Amino acid sequence: VSASTLNLGGTKITTLEALFNSAANGTLTSITLPATLTEIAASALENCAALTTVDLSACTELATIRNSAFGTTSKLQTLNFSACTKLVNINTTPFITGTTPNQVLTTVTLPASIKTIGTAFAKLPKLTALDLSGTALTGLVEDCLDGSVLVTELTLPNTAWTLADNALRGS
């Protein structure tokens, strides 16, 4: 990838495949995803070392995010999924490649539709706060935030909750 900005907003792409996986030495800093997007495939943006911005503001159809989708994006600090109202589960590890987590991700905004997050936020060493209060979550699974040592603020929904053993271990 030699472009610094890629705008897919006017396309009819439904799945973002691992087309950018080789961009480790590329210049891609910003990508705008289309309203028609339903899935971000495994390793789709993995190794996009220069990537700082992923615009998901039109992605109202996004329902699936696979393993390592944002893995090893060494400059991506913020992701906002609030417009992704069909996204109900993030059960995989979208921010980790193998055993290497995103080292700079500090802020993730989730949509109200989220019901489960699995271990999606484990091992994110720079994640500082996670506000789950506006989501449909009913609990946190074991090792949910394991290794996310800087999480100093966790806001939970005001509903019935299940907090699994070791859900907050290491944070």
Side-chain angles (χ1 to χ4, degrees), residues 89-101:
N89 302 307
I90 303 179
N91 289 323
T92 60
T93 53
F95 312 111
I96 298 175
T97 298
T99 58
T100 306

Side-chain angles (χ1 to χ4, degrees), residues 36-100:
T36 54
L37 190 70
T38 59
E39 178 181 350
I40 300 176
S43 304
L45 296 170
E46 180 181 29
N47 295 325
C48 290
L51 190 64
T52 59
T53 305
V54 177
D55 183 350
L56 297 150
S57 62
C59 298
T60 57
E61 298 299 313
L62 182 64
T64 306
I65 301 171
R66 303 276 184 213
N67 285 341
S68 304
F70 301 96
T72 322
T73 49
S74 57
K75 293 187 179 179
L76 187 61
Q77 294 181 350
T78 304
L79 279 170
N80 186 340
F81 294 102
S82 61
C84 308
T85 56
K86 296 219 173 141
L87 186 63
V88 294
N89 302 307
I90 303 179
N91 289 323
T92 60
T93 53
F95 312 111
I96 298 175
T97 298
T99 58
T100 306

Side-chain angles (χ1 to χ4, degrees), residues 1-60:
V1 177
S2 60
S4 64
T5 303
L6 183 59
N7 186 342
L8 301 173
T11 69
K12 295 186 188 282
I13 294 171
T14 57
T15 301
L16 184 66
E17 295 287 349
L19 301 174
F20 308 101
N21 190 318
S22 62
N25 297 316
T27 58
L28 184 65
T29 60
S30 175
I31 185 169
T32 301
L33 299 174
T36 54
L37 190 70
T38 59
E39 178 181 350
I40 300 176
S43 304
L45 296 170
E46 180 181 29
N47 295 325
C48 290
L51 190 64
T52 59
T53 305
V54 177
D55 183 350
L56 297 150
S57 62
C59 298
T60 57

